[in-house]
Amino acid sequence: MASLKVAFHTLGCKVNYYETEALKGAFRREGFELVDFQERADVYVINTCTVTHLADRKSRQAVRRAKKRNPAAIVAVTGCYPQVNPGELTSLPEVDIISGTGERLSLPEIVKRKLEGEDIAPLVTPYGQAAIFEDLPWVPEQERTRAFLKIQDGCNQFCSYCIVPLARGPVRSIPPGKGMEYLREMGRSGHKEVILTGIHLGLYGLDLEPPLSLASFLVDAVTVPGIERIRLSSIEPADFNEELIKVIKENEKICRHLHIPLQSGDDSVLKKMGRSYDTAFYTALLNRLREGLPDLAVSTDVIVGFPGEEKEQFLQSCNFVRESAFSRLHVFKFSPRRGTKAAEMIPQVAPEVKEQRSRMMIALGEELSRAFQEKFLGRELSVLFEKELEAGAGEDGSDLWMSRELRGEYRLSEGLTSNYLRVRALTAGNWRGKIGEVRIEKSFRGYLQGSLVRNTNVYDPAGHNNG
Ligand code: SF4
């Protein structure tokens, strides 16, 4: 009998993407064939996000698209949206299975039962303090150069705008032995960069017996053979203690890029957001981190239009963001989430004002990103190449696209530096998964261009070193 086809669609954060990969592995083990979400499948799994209204809407749109593609298919909705708001999804006629953020590994079996005609009630259990870390095993099908590893889940912070603690439950962490086992597997299968993810990553280990810290996990992680870079997905400002800062500074394998959510550059807004720091604390942290790490990239999240945010507070936030010289901004318009304190706060900011502030903040972010990447013109940077690009689409003026005569011999390769700069260079042969030194020559919107000057690969288990 032909195997059943399953297709996935993922919204939201890196943790969700990691979990989708794990789910793909679980379905494959049960004999399902993976197909693209655009194709006709027997089962569609939508791993949702609920951080804003927009995320909810996109999740519902994906549900409708799936059912339209194959009206006879089983559509399973999983993740944060059903965990927080199962009722809203039960009312959608296109949805067949609803599962929250716990016990996801049972999904393939549940789908099979549904295919056999069984009625399946929503699989959503509200979180209690006793929640345990669900081990969604890392699967080696992920792209070969970089791999995500989820080591932590949940958050106990309850910032006034954030629905995540309800969607994800309390802080819980992968046992260190298990985490190291996955890291060693990643190193063996040729992944040079690992991105450690979590919902509140800086609190890794707090729930373990005895308690551990992210710093102690990193001390072991940097010793894993084959892994040249360890990237941290996001760390809250208050979680940088001296131990963590020291480990980051002393280990070059830890990427020189930190994502430190700011949310607002105005102290009164930060207070209403329930954040545990003020701008003076944040600036002192940036100074401390940048001491001795001049190339460090710091990116951040900013919310505009928080309830009661006056024009002056927004402008103050812009000033602070500018002074902090972030390498990249992720800008969010405040979106009231039922069940959070901020949803009830008054006055709410008018949608058109939020829109205008968002556009201003995004423009500021682009300016800062440009300024940050231009600092590296003329420098040599280590690039981990992750893909080849189609040569020939030279709409942005890069001269790499004009050298048609070179195309047979050379490839146009793109990769990332340790401090998260996107770099393109011509390479002889396939450089995917390899690290090379690139002299940076030009800056374009969103990436740098340069010439490969050296191959610095230090570990190539598959022996693909043909650069
Ligand atoms: S720290 Fe605050 S913003 Fe981050 S997940 Fe927890 S509650 Fe949400």
Side-chain angles (χ1 to χ4, degrees):
M1 196 179 83
S3 50
L4 291 164
K5 292 181 178 168
V6 61
F8 288 82
H9 184 71
T10 312
L11 295 113
C13 62
K14 289 181 175 121
V15 171
N16 257 14
Y17 280 86
Y18 176 84
E19 290 170 344
T20 297
E21 290 303 315
L23 273 177
K24 283 180 186 171
F27 272 88
R28 203 179 278 138
R29 283 194 294 279
E30 289 294 323
F32 286 83
E33 180 195 342
L34 291 187
V35 295
D36 196 86
F37 194 72
Q38 311 306 326
E39 285 182 35
R40 193 180 163 87
D42 302 293
V43 180
Y44 290 94
V45 179
I46 294 138
N47 194 4
T48 60
C49 171
T50 193
V51 79
T52 59
H53 283 299
L54 188 64
D56 282 356
R57 196 186 317 143
K58 284 184 180 166
S59 303
R60 291 193 301 269
Q61 283 166 348
V63 165
R64 292 197 186 100
R65 278 207 308 278
K67 205 62 165 192
K68 220 167 159 186
R69 223 155 271 150
N70 180 9
I74 299 289
V75 175
V77 182
T78 184
C80 293
Y81 187 3
Q83 182 69 37
V84 170
N85 210 337
E88 217 167 280
L89 289 159
T90 323
S91 62
L92 291 187
E94 296 91 347
V95 172
D96 300 294
I97 293 174
I98 292 177
S99 107
T101 51
E103 297 164 31
R104 276 200 265 189
L105 288 176
S106 59
L107 209 50
E109 185 222 312
I110 303 288
V111 165
K112 280 188 170 169
R113 278 168 38 204
K114 179 75 187 175
L115 284 163
E116 282 159 12
E118 195 178 318
D119 257 354
I120 306 286
L123 302 152
V124 180
T125 318
Y127 282 107
Q129 285 310 309
I132 52 160
F133 185 83
E134 190 187 18
D135 182 20
L136 292 169
W138 175 74
V139 281
E141 285 81 9
Q142 296 183 357
E143 60 157 322
R144 192 166 170 268
T145 55
R146 306 200 302 149
F148 292 91
L149 178 62
K150 176 180 144 185
I151 62 167
Q152 185 278 337
D153 205 341
C155 180
N156 305 335
Q157 198 118 320
F158 290 93
C159 299
S160 68
Y161 54 85
C162 186
I163 194 73
V164 168
L166 295 181
R168 289 280 173 176
V171 168
R172 53 220 193 271
S173 315
I174 196 169
K178 197 77 196 161
M180 288 305 140
E181 190 187 304
Y182 291 142
L183 282 176
R184 280 192 291 271
E185 239 178 88
M186 289 171 166
R188 274 196 300 272
S189 56
H191 291 85
K192 288 207 168 63
E193 181 174 316
V194 173
I195 300 123
L196 297 181
T197 67
I199 296 295
H200 195 143
L201 185 63
L203 293 189
Y204 171 81
L206 195 71
D207 57 309
L208 295 173
E209 207 39 73
L212 285 176
S213 65
L214 179 60
S216 66
F217 188 88
L218 287 171
V219 166
D220 291 340
V222 293
T223 65
V224 173
I227 294 176
E228 300 300 328
R229 290 180 179 177
I230 294 180
R231 203 175 284 284
L232 301 170
S233 62
S234 177
I235 310 274
E236 287 292 322
D239 298 339
F240 282 94
N241 51 30
E242 280 309 308
E243 188 197 10
L244 180 59
I245 294 175
K246 188 165 176 281
V247 170
I248 292 171
K249 288 196 174 187
E250 285 178 355
N251 288 285
E252 264 195 71
K253 281 192 180 178
I254 300 174
C255 286
R256 277 27 190 147
H257 168 226
L258 297 170
H259 186 81
I260 313 175
L262 169 69
Q263 309 303 11
S264 171
D266 180 88
D267 286 338
S268 56
V269 176
L270 281 175
K271 200 155 182 217
K272 286 214 259 173
M273 286 177 161
R275 305 288 285 169
S276 58
Y277 54 89
D278 59 14
T279 50
F281 177 94
Y282 197 98
T283 302
L285 173 66
L286 285 185
N287 293 341
R288 174 83 184 88
L289 288 166
R290 285 172 173 156
E291 233 171 57
L293 292 181
D295 292 346
L296 182 74
V298 180
S299 56
T300 199
D301 299 329
V302 182
I303 297 173
V304 298
F306 187 79
E309 184 190 62
E310 302 280 351
K311 188 175 168 200
E312 292 67 37
Q313 293 165 320
F314 168 69
L315 293 176
Q316 166 58 28
S317 202
C318 290
N319 283 340
F320 186 80
V321 163
R322 184 183 293 283
E323 280 163 17
S324 302
F326 292 112
S327 61
R328 186 182 293 247
L329 292 190
H330 297 172
V331 180
F332 299 88
K333 283 179 274 187
F334 172 76
S335 175
R337 308 274 61 202
R338 207 170 49 217
T340 63
K341 283 189 196 153
E344 311 299 325
M345 288 180 185
I346 46 171
Q348 295 278 327
V349 174
E352 60 280 11
V353 176
K354 281 191 215 171
E355 183 58 44
Q356 191 202 17
R357 290 182 188 172
S358 163
R359 278 203 301 269
M360 277 174 73
M361 195 59 95
I362 289 171
L364 173 57
E366 285 172 358
E367 193 189 309
L368 294 175
S369 294
R370 229 174 7 253
F372 182 75
Q373 71 174 33
E374 283 173 3
K375 277 190 1 186
F376 296 89
L377 284 168
R379 296 267 306 275
E380 276 180 25
L381 302 176
S382 278
V383 177
L384 170 55
F385 288 100
E386 55 182 26
K387 60 181 173 194
E388 285 179 16
L389 300 174
E390 260 312 299
E395 76 291 337
D396 58 4
S398 161
D399 47 12
L400 292 183
W401 279 271
M402 294 173 190
S403 50
R404 282 175 183 278
E405 69 284 359
L406 293 174
R407 251 179 250 158
E409 213 180 314
Y410 289 94
R411 317 268 176 95
L412 178 55
S413 297
E414 184 180 274
L416 287 172
T417 62
S418 167
N419 60 358
Y420 213 69
L421 292 165
R422 197 156 282 283
V423 175
R424 293 177 182 175
L426 288 179
T427 55
N430 181 4
W431 270 65
R432 191 158 178 255
K434 295 189 214 170
I435 297 176
E437 297 292 311
V438 176
R439 187 178 308 111
I440 304 299
E441 289 153 355
K442 291 182 182 172
S443 173
F444 293 95
R445 195 188 161 100
Y447 71 96
L448 291 161
Q449 174 187 308
S451 301
L452 193 60
V453 288
R454 258 190 324 279
N455 171 354
T456 50
N457 289 290
V458 291
Y459 183 83
D460 192 0
H464 290 157
N465 204 346
N466 61 351

